[in-house]
Amino acid sequence: MITKDMTIGEVVKMKENAPEILMSFGMGCIGCPSAQAESIEDAAKVHGLNLEDLLEALNK
């Protein structure tokens, strides 16, 4: 299960289609080094996204 405290790097390693899901939410720079260490919660805040919607999509 993907949680808000996990980093983008962890999620990308854990879930094969995570990059596509993240990009569909407008996170275009998931490959940059700083993004890899950013939590899902922080990334959602920075991009003005609904955290619950993002987590739901990642956990499908």
Side-chain angles (χ1 to χ4, degrees), residues 26-46:
M27 294 184 186
C29 63
I30 60 167
C32 66
S34 61
Q36 293 295 305
E38 188 173 44
S39 73
I40 294 295
E41 181 176 34
D42 289 341
K45 285 180 188 174
V46 167

Side-chain angles (χ1 to χ4, degrees), residues 7-55:
T7 66
I8 290 176
E10 290 172 321
V11 173
V12 168
K13 288 178 188 169
M14 177 182 191
K15 186 167 178 88
E16 185 177 310
N17 66 337
E20 290 83 12
I21 294 168
L22 293 168
M23 286 189 277
S24 76
F25 275 83
M27 294 184 186
C29 63
I30 60 167
C32 66
S34 61
Q36 293 295 305
E38 188 173 44
S39 73
I40 294 295
E41 181 176 34
D42 289 341
K45 285 180 188 174
V46 167
H47 290 88
L49 303 173
N50 181 294
L51 177 61
E52 295 306 317
D53 290 345
L54 179 57
L55 288 172

